[in-house]
Amino acid sequence: MLTTRYIDPWHAWRGTFSELNRLRREMDAMFRGMPVEGWLPESTGMFPLINVGEDADSYYVRAHVPGMEPEDIELTVVGKNLTIQGSRKTPEKVEGARFHRQERNFPSFNRAIGLPGEVQADKVSAESKDGVLVITLPKVEEAKPKQIAIKS
């Protein structure tokens, strides 16, 4: 009589996977009761959100900075790098009020953006309107595209 035995290729791994699942469940339970404010690092998201574009003469950076005053934002240009930094003001807390959910935090921020080319730092301009900061960075002459004539 011939006896056949089924060999399970995953048998050796079953214990490992069940241990990892147990560890995941324990960590989920541990973090479930923690407050959101105060324990997340400030770098959990990128602020401000930006768009970077260009035309033949300038680079343009549009930063979403809702509720911020221009005097709360500082811009610095060094070589090919633009730095946007500032801090959002924390709204006044109402005495005796309690929050049911608090998802917005108001940390200071510092965002560095690498630009594709050199800019004329002394001619950079910025304008803030409706929560959008538009920064115009004129290109240096060497970075501007040149039209080359083809001889026949």
Side-chain angles (χ1 to χ4, degrees):
M1 173 188 266
L2 180 64
T3 305
T4 60
R5 177 184 277 178
Y6 173 73
I7 298 175
D8 182 6
W10 298 104
H11 177 71
W13 290 95
R14 289 200 197 288
T16 305
F17 288 131
S18 65
E19 184 63 21
L20 286 172
N21 283 332
R22 183 193 62 76
L23 181 61
R24 181 185 53 80
R25 285 191 306 273
E26 285 183 15
M27 292 195 64
D28 286 346
M30 182 176 70
F31 286 110
R32 192 172 296 126
M34 292 190 80
V36 173
E37 185 178 13
W39 72 277
L40 289 174
E42 291 181 4
S43 62
T44 55
M46 297 299 282
F47 184 84
L49 299 174
I50 62 164
N51 291 340
V52 180
E54 71 176 294
D55 63 16
D57 298 319
S58 300
Y59 298 108
Y60 300 95
V61 176
R62 288 175 177 78
H64 187 225
V65 289
M68 293 196 67
E69 298 297 327
E71 57 268 9
D72 297 332
I73 302 169
E74 184 179 318
L75 302 174
T76 309
V77 177
V78 177
K80 292 182 176 183
N81 295 310
L82 167 68
T83 303
I84 305 171
Q85 58 186 355
S87 62
R88 296 183 276 182
K89 293 179 181 155
T90 306
E92 294 181 22
K93 295 192 177 197
V94 178
E95 192 66 35
R98 64 184 183 132
F99 290 95
H100 295 282
R101 181 178 300 250
Q102 194 167 11
E103 296 177 351
R104 296 174 56 212
N105 59 359
F106 297 89
S108 58
F109 61 89
N110 186 339
R111 179 115 191 239
I113 300 132
L115 300 168
E118 297 281 334
V119 298
Q120 298 178 37
D122 57 334
K123 295 186 179 176
V124 173
S125 63
E127 180 182 342
S128 180
K129 184 177 180 184
D130 297 331
V132 178
L133 176 65
V134 179
I135 308 161
T136 304
L137 303 117
K139 296 178 182 179
V140 294
E141 275 309 309
E142 296 82 37
K144 292 182 182 178
K146 308 279 189 285
Q147 188 70 29
I148 300 170
I150 300 173
K151 297 177 185 176
S152 59

